Amino acid sequence: MTENAASPNHLQLTRDGQLRHFLTLDGLGRELLTDILDTADSFIEVGERTIKKVPLLRGRTVVNLFFEASTRTRSTFELAAKRLSADVLNLDINTSATSKGESLSDTLLNLEAMASDMFVVRHAQSGAPHFIAESVTPGVAIINAGDGRHAHPTQAMLDMLTIRQHKGGFEGLKVAIVGDILHSRVARSQIRALNELGAGQIRVIAPGTLLPRDVESLGCTVEYDMGKGMKDLDVVIMLRLQKERMEGALLPSEREFYRLYGLSQEKLALAHPQCIVMHPGPINRGVEIESAVADGPQSVILNQVTNGIAIRMAVMAMAMGGQVAERQQKMNELNERGQA
Ligand code: CP
């Protein structure tokens, strides 16, 4: 596989197409996404054992670097690394030297000097994990745990695993993503994954103020009326209003937003009777979703959380495997040149 320097894949794939960093779903084909889902499937059983461990990352050091708040992503990355037998370091940014003005580059240089093998990075700036991957020591894998509005690739993959478990596949599926699409890195990664995996219809349902300009170019259709958008859906994915990224007033009020775009039992009844309800979390009850729906029989929200561990185990194991394969390939090439 050849990639030019403008493609994210010159960074995240080895020359023979294996994962070595996981930064974005852009440019990753159906075969690799399916490989991640299949690998995650094989790790689900590990979480059901009394001793929930496999030795794939034994002796490796994984550093969780979260520059933004997180409950689900950070905890499931930590559990995933531990279930792969890695040593895990959680850097508390609030009490780290970052709070004394140390730059991201200097923090990373110091953590690399501790012989770290993998950084899991969440950052408010879009592109921060990509920037780190460009300069990190060869052999160290970078995993994107959510960057700005850009991407949240492991979230989208755990969502795809949950959809595949409940629906058997993607062909012909009608999926809607509802709410604050404008500020959502999750929606961007989900639309990318759903398109690559062959979903039948991908709709976004939102007021115009919460949609990115040219949203259709992401590979979806737009519906402003939730009543129409819910019709015949197989999967509805609700999103939180991301107030921390909002500049100015984009909504008349939360009450008005809930009336028009909140998922109530009445609105859910417009979808296919077997429609599943998803949400990446954290949920805001009574703002984008009614409690009776979030806790109801069609909700798979907590399945998503459980699947986060298996997906993150898969991505970490595959990226470390790609780094090892690449190092071996380079050593072989050096040996061959030395012998020539
Ligand atoms: N879905 C998600 O990213 O949740 P956290 O912010 O809790 O990690």
Side-chain angles (χ1 to χ4, degrees):
M1 181 175 292
T2 52
E3 295 291 343
N4 63 39
S7 158
N9 286 343
H10 87 280
L11 273 178
Q12 66 180 357
L13 297 184
T14 64
R15 271 178 285 170
D16 59 357
Q18 291 185 65
L19 212 56
R20 61 178 181 142
H21 301 295
F22 194 54
L23 307 173
T24 172
L25 300 182
D26 292 352
L28 301 187
R30 186 181 297 198
E31 197 180 333
L32 184 50
L33 299 192
T34 304
D35 201 11
I36 293 171
L37 296 179
D38 293 344
T39 306
D41 255 341
S42 73
F43 284 133
I44 285 173
E45 174 269 327
V46 176
E48 292 162 357
R49 294 183 198 165
T50 311
I51 298 180
K52 301 175 183 59
K53 275 204 189 287
V54 288
L56 283 169
L57 293 191
R58 187 158 57 199
R60 302 288 190 170
T61 301
V62 174
V63 182
N64 265 335
L65 269 174
F66 278 62
F67 294 88
E68 266 192 342
S70 168
T71 297
R72 282 144 289 272
T73 311
R74 180 173 153 156
S75 311
T76 52
F77 263 115
E78 181 173 351
L79 281 174
K82 287 178 171 168
R83 288 186 188 175
L84 292 167
S85 306
D87 296 316
V88 184
L89 177 65
N90 289 306
L91 193 73
D92 186 342
I93 298 302
N94 294 321
T95 56
S96 76
T98 306
S99 62
K100 299 181 196 165
E102 186 172 67
S103 70
L104 176 60
S105 301
D106 282 327
T107 301
L108 287 161
L109 282 174
N110 282 270
L111 291 167
E112 282 176 45
M114 300 172 203
S116 304
D117 296 292
M118 186 177 292
F119 294 126
V120 177
V121 182
R122 169 170 287 192
H123 205 285
Q125 292 294 323
S126 296
H130 191 108
F131 166 78
I132 295 167
E134 276 178 328
S135 57
V136 78
T137 306
V140 178
I142 307 300
I143 312 291
N144 185 357
D147 62 325
R149 298 183 192 188
H150 170 236
H152 196 347
T154 58
Q155 176 69 48
M157 290 310 294
L158 73 87
D159 296 333
M160 297 307 115
L161 185 62
T162 308
I163 291 173
R164 196 172 78 164
Q165 280 170 351
H166 287 85
K167 297 292 169 191
F170 299 90
E171 204 177 324
L173 276 191
K174 296 186 177 78
V175 183
I177 307 171
V178 185
D180 186 359
I181 313 292
L182 178 64
H183 301 99
S184 178
R185 54 196 175 206
V186 174
R188 283 170 179 76
S189 292
Q190 286 168 336
I191 293 168
R192 171 81 198 102
L194 286 164
N195 273 301
E196 193 60 43
L197 292 167
Q201 283 183 29
I202 307 160
R203 305 172 196 164
V204 293
I205 308 175
T209 49
L210 292 181
L211 287 168
R213 199 177 301 160
D214 222 6
V215 62
E216 290 97 338
S217 68
L218 299 175
C220 57
T221 58
V222 176
E223 182 55 71
Y224 300 99
D225 181 317
M226 192 158 173
K228 286 187 195 158
M230 289 297 294
K231 199 166 159 19
D232 299 330
L233 282 183
D234 299 298
V235 178
V236 58
I237 304 174
M238 300 306 298
L239 297 177
R240 175 178 71 87
L241 292 175
Q242 289 144 83
K243 291 183 211 154
E244 71 276 19
R245 295 198 191 96
M246 286 187 189
E247 289 154 12
L250 299 175
L251 296 166
S253 69
E254 282 183 1
R255 185 190 290 235
E256 185 66 357
F257 177 78
Y258 180 71
R259 188 178 72 78
L260 294 172
Y261 294 101
L263 188 59
S264 59
Q265 287 175 297
E266 290 73 26
K267 291 199 196 99
L268 182 57
L270 301 170
H272 189 283
Q274 305 298 321
C275 178
I276 56 170
V277 175
M278 302 177 69
H279 194 309
I283 64 172
N284 285 309
R285 294 168 187 264
V287 178
E288 73 271 0
I289 192 164
E290 184 184 358
S291 273
V293 174
D295 305 327
Q298 287 166 261
S299 170
V300 297
I301 294 171
L302 294 179
N303 296 82
Q304 290 172 260
V305 177
T306 307
N307 284 334
I309 303 174
I311 279 291
R312 286 165 179 139
M313 287 173 80
V315 167
M316 287 197 281
M318 289 169 72
M320 212 66 258
Q323 293 282 358
V324 169
E326 189 171 63
R327 190 181 298 182
Q328 190 58 51
Q329 198 174 19
K330 280 184 184 153
M331 278 173 59
N332 291 345
E333 283 169 11
L334 283 173
N335 284 339
E336 276 168 26
R337 263 186 251 151
Q339 285 159 6

